Amino acid sequence: MSTNRAVAYLKPGAVEVQDIDFPSLELQDGPGVAAANVGRKCPHGVILKVLASNICGSDQHMVRGRTTAPENLVLGHEITGEVIEKGQDVEFIKVGDVVSVPFNIACGRCRNCKERKTGICLNVNPARPGAAYGYVDMGGWVGGQAEYVMVPYADFNLLRFPDADQAKEKLLDLTMLSDIFPTGFHGVVSSGAQVGSTVYIAGAGPVGLAAAAGAQLLGCAVVIVGDLNADRLDQARSFGCETVDLTRGSPAEQIEQLLGEPEVDCAVDAVGFEARAHGENSEEAPATVLNSLMELARAGGGLGIPGLYVTGDPGGIDADAKIGALKLRLGLGWAKSHSFVTGQCPVMKYNFHLMRAILHDKVQIARAVNATPIRLEDAPRGYAEFDQGASRKYVLNPHGALDNVSPA
């Protein structure tokens, strides 16, 4: 039997590369696997040779100890790979296909999937709607920061690239289709942004930068990105964004200097529950972003909220934060008739069209997020540097497919 290596969470602040079982078309018992999913047969699945798997800010929440993730949970929900084996029920995906794997696991059969709400599939996680690879409370599907991984419901879930050789040439851009590009784009679209809109994006991490690139792709007139990290603001400016330095306090005054008014048409939260207050050396204040967006979005504007919020946070700053209860100025949002869209991005709603934008050179998403390939064995370093605020999107390269690939 072939070997398999994968990145696993050990304890707060620590991951390591471990030997794990080669995947099969059956979900085995293991760390985080829901009891009702153990032994689940997947003749509708495929085995992928992982060509690229990205480190995500959502993974960092687990690695920081801010979730109930169990020891030895194999990480990784941003996966691009080559099909090397398929189950007997797979009809359209073929061995040799190069594919993007949406981080949402979806059956394609339930009511929500049929309504394109693939982030909240009803059949893949016994505990709650929605599932993902390598993530706490998401059904226990083994993560893809590995050499090989199993993907269920392959005909429905997988986005096949039309030309495998072309896909490998653009792999560093295409690997962003599994999560952060659709997620950032979803945040912008769900905020109501359109051609000519002014948009403020809170957070210049990879999702925020992907949202900014998506806003530009949509034709927004002004895209403003706010953050506390100077290097990340530099990265946002590198592809034409305006920026707000949140170490200087509330963003309203800086936005007014840019636009002539302190409000924007639309706002996006690309930070989530580990938000910090505005100002230099600020402390954690998890409702900061949501409250500031309600101040900054004009009356009748919209808020897209792809930033992650959780129902359980052992490291929360108080009893309310530990259960995801935040002190929101909902009255302000109500008075301004704001719309709010939250939850996992339904990746399949966007990934096909964003793939076309990449393949036809309409967007350079790898450059926007500063995609940086590293070896699988270097994953612990990548996690540590990302946690320290590096303005990079680390992409694991387990088989060398990215050795000679650069951003488009």
Side-chain angles (χ1 to χ4, degrees), residues 17-79:
V17 180
Q18 300 179 347
D19 291 312
I20 66 168
D21 291 337
F22 192 84
S24 67
L25 297 174
E26 180 178 323
L27 189 53
Q28 306 294 330
D29 196 7
V33 179
N37 259 352
V38 174
R40 184 169 181 163
K41 291 179 169 51
C42 299
H44 42 67
V46 298
I47 307 299
L48 296 184
K49 176 183 178 181
V50 177
L51 302 180
S53 184
N54 316 330
I55 296 176
C56 181
S58 298
D59 297 323
Q60 285 287 19
H61 295 308
M62 290 187 289
V63 174
R64 291 185 188 120
R66 299 299 295 267
T67 71
T68 55
E71 181 180 353
N72 294 317
L73 179 74
V74 175
L75 302 169
H77 57 270
E78 300 189 14
I79 308 163

Side-chain angles (χ1 to χ4, degrees), residues 45 49 131 201 216 238 289 356:
K49 176 183 178 181
I201 298 166
Q216 292 175 338
S238 75
V289 172
R356 280 186 165 176

Side-chain angles (χ1 to χ4, degrees), residues 17-314:
V17 180
Q18 300 179 347
D19 291 312
I20 66 168
D21 291 337
F22 192 84
S24 67
L25 297 174
E26 180 178 323
L27 189 53
Q28 306 294 330
D29 196 7
V33 179
N37 259 352
V38 174
R40 184 169 181 163
K41 291 179 169 51
C42 299
H44 42 67
V46 298
I47 307 299
L48 296 184
K49 176 183 178 181
V50 177
L51 302 180
S53 184
N54 316 330
I55 296 176
C56 181
S58 298
D59 297 323
Q60 285 287 19
H61 295 308
M62 290 187 289
V63 174
R64 291 185 188 120
R66 299 299 295 267
T67 71
T68 55
E71 181 180 353
N72 294 317
L73 179 74
V74 175
L75 302 169
H77 57 270
E78 300 189 14
I79 308 163
T80 307
E82 181 178 352
V83 178
I84 61 170
E85 179 185 339
K86 67 174 191 171
Q88 63 183 12
D89 293 348
V90 178
E91 185 175 1
F92 302 110
I93 295 294
K94 308 299 182 186
V95 171
D97 284 346
V98 177
V99 296
S100 176
V101 184
F103 78 90
N104 323 113
I105 302 173
C107 72
R109 297 155 165 81
C110 70
R111 173 181 175 176
N112 285 348
C113 284
K114 289 178 179 180
E115 293 178 356
R116 301 183 74 195
K117 300 173 183 175
T118 53
I120 43 174
C121 173
L122 300 174
N123 288 331
V124 288
N125 183 357
R128 64 177 73 175
Y133 305 90
Y135 213 86
V136 60
D137 296 331
M138 287 292 183
W141 300 90
V142 178
Q145 288 176 14
E147 293 175 320
Y148 302 93
V149 68
M150 189 269 281
V151 173
Y153 303 103
D155 281 328
F156 183 69
N157 280 303
L158 294 179
L159 174 67
R160 185 183 67 84
F161 299 128
D163 184 303
D165 292 334
Q166 181 192 33
K168 290 177 182 179
E169 291 174 1
K170 289 184 174 285
L171 187 58
L172 201 55
D173 289 88
L174 293 170
T175 190
M176 303 305 158
L177 291 171
S178 58
D179 182 355
I180 67 162
F181 195 14
T183 292
F185 193 75
H186 174 63
V188 175
V189 170
S190 60
S191 75
Q194 56 188 324
V195 173
S197 294
T198 58
V199 181
Y200 174 70
I201 298 166
V207 170
L209 296 172
Q216 292 175 338
L217 188 63
L218 279 175
C220 293
V222 184
V223 180
I224 306 169
V225 181
D227 205 286
L228 297 156
N229 183 314
D231 289 341
R232 290 181 171 183
L233 293 177
D234 285 343
Q235 181 63 27
R237 285 190 291 271
S238 75
F239 61 100
C241 299
E242 302 289 348
T243 58
V244 165
D245 181 356
L246 297 175
T247 65
R248 294 166 51 190
S250 173
E253 182 177 341
Q254 294 176 67
I255 287 174
E256 185 169 20
Q257 292 172 356
L258 292 167
L259 300 178
E261 58 183 351
E263 291 185 325
V264 292
D265 296 324
C266 314
V268 178
D269 175 1
V271 178
F273 73 103
E274 287 193 66
R276 290 162 57 191
H278 300 148
E280 197 168 3
N281 300 317
S282 56
E283 299 294 327
E284 186 171 315
T288 298
V289 172
L290 294 173
N291 286 329
S292 70
L293 296 192
M294 286 186 276
E295 294 174 1
L296 297 170
R298 66 173 179 84
L303 278 61
I305 310 173
L308 175 66
Y309 289 86
V310 294
T311 56
D313 175 11

Side-chain angles (χ1 to χ4, degrees), residues 327-347:
K327 190 174 182 179
L328 297 180
R329 292 190 65 192
L330 188 59
L332 175 61
W334 188 93
K336 296 175 78 172
S337 294
H338 284 157
S339 64
F340 298 73
V341 176
T342 66
Q344 287 186 37
C345 165
V347 170

